[in-house]
Amino acid sequence: MPAHDLTFVLGGARSGKSAYAEQLALAGPAHTVTYIATARIADDEFAARVAHHQARRPPHWLLRETPLELASALAAADGPGHCVLIDCLTLWLANFLCPPEHAAADASADYPAQLVAFETALLHATGQIIVVSNEIGLGVVPTGALTRQYVDELGRLNQRIAALSPRVTLMVAGLPLTLKTTPAATDA
């Protein structure tokens, strides 16, 4: 069963996916927007990327930084009249498969349960939900085992979220390409 008001936005690096998702949140009916950021900042270059995203967002949007516990963050931010923008699943998955060196335990063991919990949270959401992810499966097959595992897992993750989503958009060169639009159910 697809989630009620879920939009999944995919694209490559610098495709415009985050900016497009932000435009959807701004144009939506929600009074409250919560931006859930999954990134872990590891160096100055990545901090500059994050700062670019932050500068683009309205200052009144709420922010939750959530590298792993996405289901609970979504449940806490969701509600009627709310919009939750999750950016992005690409980094969320990387946090499980490539945890920081100082992480105490192997986070990848938690991923299957966290994924099921996230899917359940999406299905029970009552507000507008926008999820962003990278489409990285259009290139050559990577040579390293960890990179191949990551590409495979992200492809599977994207397929699962796309199946739950009534609307799926692929961003290419800043242009939205509609991949899926399921008409909303009407009350009889």
Side-chain angles (χ1 to χ4, degrees):
M1 174 177 99
H4 175 67
D5 192 0
L6 173 59
T7 302
F8 190 35
V9 180
L10 296 155
R14 299 293 160 252
S15 64
K17 63 192 174 296
S18 293
Y20 179 76
E22 291 161 8
Q23 291 171 1
L24 291 176
L26 284 168
H31 302 292
T32 302
V33 177
T34 301
Y35 187 101
I36 297 179
T38 61
R40 285 188 168 137
I41 299 173
D43 57 43
D44 291 341
E45 182 273 335
F46 196 74
R49 287 175 176 260
V50 170
H52 174 75
H53 279 248
Q54 291 170 333
R56 207 174 46 213
R57 294 193 300 260
H60 64 276
W61 282 10
L62 304 173
L63 173 66
R64 293 182 69 100
E65 295 178 344
T66 309
L68 297 175
E69 302 286 334
L70 199 48
S72 59
L74 172 58
D78 179 44
H82 290 246
C83 174
V84 179
L85 194 165
I86 300 168
D87 197 356
C88 71
L89 295 185
T90 314
L91 295 174
W92 182 61
L93 177 63
N95 292 334
F96 285 103
L97 297 184
C98 306
E101 292 177 12
H102 63 286
D106 180 16
S108 64
D110 294 336
Y111 174 68
Q114 289 289 335
L115 174 55
V116 169
F118 177 55
E119 288 174 317
T120 301
L122 287 172
L123 288 171
H124 290 96
T126 58
Q128 176 189 13
I129 311 299
I130 303 165
V131 179
V132 177
S133 187
N134 282 60
E135 175 52 68
I136 62 171
L138 299 174
V140 297
V141 176
T143 57
L146 179 58
T147 308
R148 280 192 303 275
Q149 177 191 10
Y150 179 77
V151 169
D152 290 349
E153 287 300 322
L154 184 60
R156 289 182 192 105
L157 171 59
N158 286 345
Q159 288 182 48
R160 289 174 75 155
I161 303 308
L164 295 177
S165 302
R167 289 168 306 284
V168 180
T169 300
L170 176 67
M171 296 298 297
V172 178
L175 301 173
L177 303 171
T178 301
L179 300 181
K180 178 181 175 185
T181 301
T182 304
T186 58
D187 294 332

